[in-house]
């Protein structure tokens, strides 16, 4: 059994978890990765004394799968203060912990964001969601989040000032068309856990999984051209025969017959600037309400000092939609930053931009998990990846585990 040739395509989180689970079952898998690094959408670069994540993203400490596979203590997780600093056209204000302790927020602070009724509804929602299992949440009827918020009775004020900028930054789409299932799941995770980053960047997460692998071989710079039956064709012309294959990347990449079957993914542009010092002065996310290029900002070194080792502050800015050329976008973003902070645009020194065209999969029927049988597409080919469930770290891990379990099951004598 251990001699079996099991190939995994993709060394993102789902591929790495699949490999780990296969190793635990006694196999020695081979991962084929198109780039020269592990991590897929979760990487961190080191540039001029800064740590730059590929796109602003956070780990929620309540994610059940993350708790299974990651040692939070060794990652030295740095948590964000719950809540947000909100910038509207006139003012900025802090809303502390709206998804955990809404009733504790003093009246004045909340009244800028929403009504008293909103506060009560926030509280009711947290209580309701804590009672539902994650599976129950994903079995609920699905409606767009914008409709859900209105039907739940939230005021336009809190939708515009808080929900829109907060969830735009998570769903990476402007209109909150993402399913209410994802809204409920994310809301529940934020009411139970903390948003966090590893001390030295999000890339530490896949690195921690890789360190747990001892029998896996990873072939880098090995893009797969196509998969046909049990045969893998690499772009360099090499042909590999497999006993089992786990495709841990959206499968239209390697199965041409599936092209056009997937909706365009959600995209984001993440720009990094350095400044003399932070103007948020707290490990908190900054949300810009209204229609601006800038959706959310964070001084990463306010959250983890290690993100800057050169004495300057590191500002991460997320832009959801823009057709501007990079140098025009940088100028436009600097101008918006001047408006919200009062600091001159020139003081925001541009470091680097990441334009991520495939950030989150655009999934119609969001799920929390799937049975093993659903990730098996032929007797020898299995699927993994967040696109099977929902765009999250938790889903990527779940899908990797499920695909590995399906492969292991296929070798059981009773099967
Ligand atoms: C900007 C951004 C923000 C995010 N924010 C959050 C967040 O706050 N919280 C959260 O939970 N999740 C967030 N996510 C989602 C999370 O990062 C993903 O769900 C997870 O990383 C997906 O892992 P994966 O293994 O499914 O796919 P990927 O990471 O995409 O892995 C696929 C791998 O396959 C490789 N590959 C592709 N084609 C081929 C080929 N032909 N041959 C060989 N290899 C190939 C790729 O190089 C890659 O390494 C965010 C993602 C982004 C990009």
């Amino acid at each position: 059994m251990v001699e079996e040739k099991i190939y995994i395509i993709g060394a993102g989180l789902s591929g790495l978890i699949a490999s780990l689970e296969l190793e635990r079952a006694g196999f020695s898998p081979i991962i084929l990765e198109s780039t020269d690094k592990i991590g897929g959408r979760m990487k961190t670069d080191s540039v001029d004394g800064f740590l730059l994540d590929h796109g602003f993203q956070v780990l929620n400490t309540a994610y059940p799968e993350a708790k299974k596979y990651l040692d939070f203590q060794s990652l030295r997780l740095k948590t964000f203060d719950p809540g947000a600093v909100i910038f509207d056209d006139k003012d900025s204000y802090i809303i502390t912990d709206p998804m955990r302790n809404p009733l504790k927020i003093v009246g004045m602070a909340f009244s800028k964001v929403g009504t008293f009724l909103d506060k009560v509804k926030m509280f009711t929602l947290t209580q309701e969601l804590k009672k539902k299992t994650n599976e129950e949440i994903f079995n609920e009827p699905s409606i767009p989040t914008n409709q859900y918020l209105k039907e739940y009775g939230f005021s336009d004020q809190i939708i515009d000032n808080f929900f829109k900028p907060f969830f735009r930054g998570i769903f990476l789409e402007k209109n909150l068309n993402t399913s209410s299932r994802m809204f409920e799941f994310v809301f529940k995770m934020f009411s139970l856990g903390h948003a966090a980053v590893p001390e030295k960047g999000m890339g530490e997460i896949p690195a921690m999984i890789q360190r747990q692998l001892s029998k896996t071989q990873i072939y880098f710079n090995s893009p797969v051209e196509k998969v046909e039956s049990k045969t893998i064709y690499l772009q360099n012309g090499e042909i590999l025969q497999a006993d089992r294959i786990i495709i841990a990347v959206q499968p239209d990449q390697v199965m041409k017959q599936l092209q056009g079957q997937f909706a365009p993914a959600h995209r984001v542009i993440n720009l990094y600037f350095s400044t003399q010092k932070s103007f948020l002065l707290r490990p908190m996310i900054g949300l810009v309400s209204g229609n601006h290029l800038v959706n959310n900002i964070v001084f990463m070194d306010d959250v983890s000092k290690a993100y800057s080792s050169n004495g300057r502050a590191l500002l991460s800015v997320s832009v959801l939609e823009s057709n501007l050329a990079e140098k025009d976008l940088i100028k436009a973003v600097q101008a918006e930053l001047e408006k919200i902070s009062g600091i001159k645009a020139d003081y925001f020194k541009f470091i680097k931009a990441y334009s991520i065209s495939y950030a989150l999969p655009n999934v119609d029927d969001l799920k929390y998990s799937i049975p093993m049988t659903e990730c098996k597409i032929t007797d020898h080919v299995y699927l993994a990846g967040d696109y099977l469930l929902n765009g999250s770290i938790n889903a990527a891990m779940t899908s990797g585990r499920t695909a590995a379990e399906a492969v292991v099951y296929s070798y059981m004598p009773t099967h």
Side-chain angles (χ1 to χ4, degrees):
M1 180 165 98
V2 284
E3 306 280 301
E4 291 292 295
K5 279 226 167 307
I6 303 184
Y7 285 96
I8 298 170
I9 302 174
L13 218 46
S14 63
L16 293 169
I17 293 288
S19 211
L20 180 61
E21 288 294 347
L22 286 169
E23 279 199 11
R24 287 176 177 170
F27 295 95
S28 303
I30 299 166
I31 302 184
L32 303 168
E33 166 55 44
S34 58
T35 68
D36 60 355
K37 287 188 185 68
I38 60 149
R41 276 170 274 159
M42 241 184 202
K43 292 197 182 96
T44 305
D45 289 336
S46 189
V47 177
D48 300 337
F50 295 113
L51 295 178
L52 309 182
D53 291 335
H54 287 210
F56 171 64
Q57 58 178 308
V58 296
L59 172 73
N60 192 298
T61 57
Y63 280 158
E65 292 288 319
K67 287 193 225 169
K68 277 191 214 161
Y69 291 109
L70 302 173
D71 171 357
F72 289 174
Q73 226 173 347
S74 307
L75 280 177
R76 300 169 70 89
L77 285 187
K78 303 289 172 185
T79 53
F80 288 67
D81 283 355
V85 183
I86 301 193
F87 295 90
D88 67 16
D89 282 337
K90 296 179 227 100
D91 211 354
S92 72
Y93 38 90
I94 294 174
I95 170 171
T96 49
D97 221 354
M99 288 181 270
R100 203 191 297 255
N101 275 319
L103 291 180
K104 287 218 177 119
I105 305 171
V106 281
M108 275 301 285
F110 200 89
S111 67
K112 299 207 175 182
V113 189
T115 63
F116 176 70
L117 201 58
D118 287 325
K119 204 177 188 179
V120 176
K121 285 191 180 293
M122 285 288 241
F123 177 74
T124 321
L125 186 56
T126 52
Q127 301 310 303
E128 280 174 14
L129 294 179
K130 277 181 194 164
K131 282 190 211 129
K132 288 190 204 173
T133 65
N134 295 329
E135 294 284 357
E136 280 167 350
I137 285 176
F138 280 88
N139 285 329
E140 296 276 338
S142 169
I143 55 171
T145 295
N146 54 36
Q147 185 186 335
Y148 176 95
L149 292 171
K150 280 199 183 296
E151 287 180 8
Y152 204 84
F154 286 114
S155 71
D156 287 345
Q157 190 189 353
I158 197 163
I159 292 177
D160 289 342
N161 288 332
F162 177 69
F163 284 118
K164 272 193 184 160
F166 191 83
F167 281 90
R168 279 173 174 171
I170 290 178
F171 298 159
L172 304 181
E173 50 99 5
K174 282 219 148 171
N175 299 320
L176 302 198
N177 283 326
T178 298
S179 164
S180 50
R181 295 174 187 166
M182 197 62 187
F183 170 80
E184 286 198 342
F185 175 62
V186 172
F187 196 102
K188 178 180 166 187
M189 290 297 109
F190 274 96
S191 62
L192 292 175
H194 283 273
V197 289
E199 180 183 37
K200 294 190 176 154
M202 291 300 281
E204 290 293 299
I205 291 176
M208 177 172 269
I209 312 284
Q210 187 189 17
R211 280 195 297 275
Q212 297 173 58
L213 301 176
S214 57
K215 292 182 287 181
T216 299
Q217 291 180 65
I218 305 183
Y219 295 159
F220 290 105
N221 303 308
S222 304
V224 171
E225 169 72 27
K226 61 178 177 173
V227 171
E228 276 176 9
S229 184
K230 292 163 83 174
T231 310
I232 299 171
Y233 297 83
L234 295 186
Q235 275 178 21
N236 66 9
E238 231 180 294
I239 297 173
L240 305 167
Q241 295 304 330
D243 292 303
R244 299 285 187 279
I245 302 169
I246 294 179
I247 301 177
V249 58
Q250 199 167 278
D252 52 342
Q253 301 292 310
V254 293
M255 300 182 106
K256 304 293 170 223
Q257 66 273 30
L258 294 179
Q259 277 174 2
Q261 304 280 310
F262 293 87
H266 297 171
R267 46 198 307 149
V268 67
I269 307 168
N270 182 208
L271 300 103
Y272 284 99
F273 297 90
S274 77
T275 58
Q276 212 167 2
K277 61 183 191 26
S278 159
F279 62 81
L280 291 178
L281 291 171
R282 51 180 59 75
M284 215 177 217
I285 188 162
L287 302 175
V288 182
S289 64
N291 268 325
H292 297 91
L293 278 169
V294 176
N295 186 75
N296 51 279
I297 59 173
V298 181
F299 279 93
M300 294 307 296
D301 55 309
D302 281 347
V303 186
S304 168
K305 297 238 168 311
Y307 271 72
S308 168
S309 56
N310 62 22
R312 289 190 53 90
L314 175 66
L315 177 62
S316 168
V317 175
S318 300
V319 170
L320 300 188
E321 280 171 19
S322 160
N323 294 322
L324 295 172
E326 186 174 291
K327 79 176 187 341
D328 298 326
L329 177 64
I330 294 164
K331 274 208 152 57
V333 166
Q334 283 167 323
E336 284 191 6
L337 291 171
E338 175 171 327
K339 253 189 159 173
I340 62 172
S341 67
I343 298 168
K344 274 178 70 114
D346 289 353
Y347 287 24
F348 295 93
K349 299 287 176 223
F350 175 69
I351 306 167
K352 190 166 173 164
Y354 294 91
S355 181
I356 304 168
S357 54
Y358 189 109
L360 294 178
N362 193 344
V363 189
D364 229 16
D365 184 18
L366 290 174
K367 299 185 178 98
Y368 185 68
S369 61
I370 47 171
M372 279 192 296
T373 43
E374 273 186 42
C375 66
K376 174 177 173 177
I377 53 171
T378 70
D379 276 347
H380 308 101
V381 180
Y382 298 77
L383 300 177
D386 62 349
Y387 68 91
L388 284 171
L389 306 173
N390 60 78
S392 71
I393 295 165
N394 197 67
M397 289 177 157
T398 307
S399 71
R401 175 177 54 74
T402 310
E405 285 168 358
V407 168
V408 174
Y409 182 72
S410 74
Y411 283 102
M412 288 193 172
T414 49
H415 175 246

